[in-house]
Amino acid sequence: MDEVFRLADEFGPARVVHIHRPAVGLRAIVVIDNTACGPAVGGVRMAPDVSLDECARLARAMTWKNAAAGLPHGGGKAVIFGDPKLPAEQKERRIRSFAQAIGDLADYIPGPDMGTDETCIGWIKDEIGRAVGLPSALGGIPLDEIGATGFGLASCIDVARSVAGFELKGARVAVQGFGAVGKHAARFLAEKGAILVAASDAKGTLADQDGLPVSKLIALKEAGGALSDFAGGDKGGTDAIIDVPCDIWIPAARPDVIRADNVMRLKTRLVVEGANIPLTMDAEQALHDRGVIVVPDFIANAGGVICASIEYRGGTQRAAFDYIDERIRSNTRVVLDESRRGGVTPRRAAQELAKTRVMAATATRRWR
Ligand code: NAD
């Protein structure tokens, strides 16, 4: 009894389901954390080393992200144990079997995450008629292709830079991780007059205080190249991006890249979190104490899940962009105002905002 409810608190999880189908080598866990705001939306992660704790933590993060974004969705997550690079046939069988097993979990809507892509989501939809992040042939909005999360980051940055007191035109931007999130953030910011002074990928950092050509770098990456293949700029190791002087620093790669031991190296006025948990809590606090604004992940990078939610409700790409822009701007403003008023970090203010929304939704539910 104690072990089963070890993860439980006042917000959830509402349901934890273990799935075991030895015939197809399927072992999976679904955590439906909280459904006060509506059916839970959250990705399906496939990796060999996933765990119940990871699944529960990610499901809770989705509860806050969806509530903060004002979506009619609670938070959930699923993990499938296994190598995401399984031979295609075996992977399809395992994912389809997973889908059949969650068919009756009507308050969980699965989406893509690490190790699953839109094709996997298409298989799930085929089995149970319910999923987000679909291929465009099935009515999906290709959120990574259109840059939904990067677009939301640019909206967030436009508000945060006005609070910090500088213009976007001419602002120097550094982007760690020039992938689906990072490259589109750079593109939308460049369209507003900002200057990309550094970008990094898994192979290294490219920097130039006079500005880098964003569209050429995107074309280079899309052709399968690395930033270090670009003829020009200064080249450095992956870590060198941390030392580049800039006005806006965007982590869009891995978790925990800025910690107590390297946070003092950042020379920026604003950090906007494209990746999930890219800064440790003590690093966020240290920057806050130095007067650097840090907009937390679940406010800044909500563009992707907002897009998925609009897709689920049959909306268009245009509607998704409008909603992302409006919602992320207003949330950023509220969170930074509350942070100033209360003298707390923007993350703390954002958590309060999300909790208040979940509690308001809970008050309307029969089983509280
Ligand atoms: P991606 O795989 O498209 O891009 C990641 C990029 O980071 C790649 O260019 C890779 O080379 C680079 N990279 C890896 N290790 C690095 C390192 N040590 N230093 C610098 N660069 C490194 O992934 P993505 O979809 O852009 O996601 C990036 C992050 O954003 C992840 O944390 C993800 O969870 C988060 N996120 C993504 C979305 C989305 O819509 N895709 C939404 C919310 C949050």
Side-chain angles (χ1 to χ4, degrees):
M1 176 84 169
D2 284 342
E3 177 57 19
V4 172
F5 289 101
R6 176 174 55 86
L7 298 165
D9 66 16
E10 61 190 304
F11 293 103
R15 284 212 264 186
V16 178
V17 180
H18 290 79
I19 297 163
H20 183 215
R21 301 215 166 160
V24 284
L26 173 68
R27 283 191 307 138
I29 301 169
V30 179
V31 174
I32 299 172
D33 183 53
N34 186 298
T35 56
C37 296
V41 168
V44 180
R45 177 168 291 194
M46 184 167 183
D49 57 352
V50 286
S51 67
L52 169 61
D53 282 63
E54 178 182 355
C55 190
R57 222 180 53 236
L58 293 166
R60 176 59 54 86
M62 290 309 295
T63 296
W64 300 144
K65 185 184 282 196
N66 294 341
L71 300 176
H73 293 299
K77 200 83 186 181
V79 294
I80 299 178
F81 292 78
D83 179 359
K85 296 202 169 74
L86 269 182
E89 235 172 72
Q90 274 180 49
K91 185 165 180 178
E92 178 170 352
R93 196 159 353 117
R94 200 173 291 184
I95 300 252
R96 283 187 181 275
S97 165
F98 165 77
Q100 287 163 7
I102 65 163
D104 60 351
L105 298 180
D107 49 3
Y108 172 57
I109 305 163
D113 195 71
M114 273 167 50
T116 60
D117 58 12
E118 58 182 34
T119 305
C120 301
I121 297 307
W123 296 329
I124 296 177
K125 171 88 170 135
D126 184 39
E127 294 293 331
I128 63 171
R130 192 178 80 238
V132 285
L134 295 165
S136 41
L138 297 177
I141 305 176
L143 64 93
D144 278 342
E145 206 177 296
I146 64 175
T149 303
F151 174 78
L153 285 179
S155 302
C156 173
I157 286 166
D158 198 23
V159 173
R161 66 90 203 149
S162 70
V163 174
F166 64 90
E167 294 299 317
L168 210 41
K169 192 162 171 41
R172 296 161 304 157
V173 180
V175 176
Q176 182 192 48
F178 210 65
V181 174
K183 71 183 177 194
H184 288 294
R187 174 168 68 87
F188 289 113
L189 289 168
E191 280 171 13
K192 293 173 197 263
I195 299 166
L196 183 70
V197 293
S200 69
D201 60 17
K203 299 219 172 108
T205 298
L206 175 67
D208 188 340
Q209 282 291 324
D210 293 333
L212 293 162
V214 175
S215 48
K216 280 191 185 151
L217 296 184
I218 292 178
L220 175 69
K221 289 296 286 182
E222 286 176 356
L227 292 171
S228 55
D229 298 334
F230 182 71
D234 299 324
K235 315 274 165 45
T238 50
D239 234 25
I241 188 99
I242 299 173
D243 302 302
V244 174
C246 59
D247 302 298
I248 304 163
W249 200 81
I250 304 174
R254 310 280 310 144
D256 294 339
V257 290
I258 300 296
R259 306 167 301 271
D261 62 302
N262 63 4
V263 64
M264 72 295 281
R265 287 169 49 194
L266 278 181
K267 298 176 200 76
T268 189
R269 296 203 255 182
L270 179 62
V271 176
V272 176
E273 299 182 347
N276 291 317
I277 46 168
L279 275 65
T280 60
M281 296 305 122
D282 45 5
E284 281 190 5
Q285 185 68 51
L287 287 168
H288 181 70
D289 295 344
R290 261 165 54 189
V292 177
I293 294 176
V294 183
V295 185
D297 42 15
F298 68 98
I299 296 295
N301 74 20
V305 75
I306 294 175
C307 190
S309 171
I310 297 286
E311 173 194 299
Y312 190 69
R313 287 179 271 159
T316 62
Q317 190 170 309
R318 186 66 262 155
F321 274 124
D322 287 348
Y323 194 110
I324 291 168
D325 188 51
E326 187 218 301
R327 186 52 64 159
I328 293 189
R329 278 178 188 276
S330 72
N331 274 347
T332 306
R333 206 163 286 124
V334 169
V335 162
L336 295 184
D337 283 353
E338 283 303 312
S339 160
R340 283 213 162 162
R341 192 168 307 132
V344 295
T345 61
R347 178 175 293 277
R348 173 74 78 79
Q351 266 159 353
E352 283 309 312
L353 171 79
K355 266 187 198 169
T356 305
R357 288 187 181 156
V358 172
M359 281 176 344
T362 306
T364 68
R365 304 300 292 255
R366 181 186 292 172
W367 309 120
R368 297 186 183 129

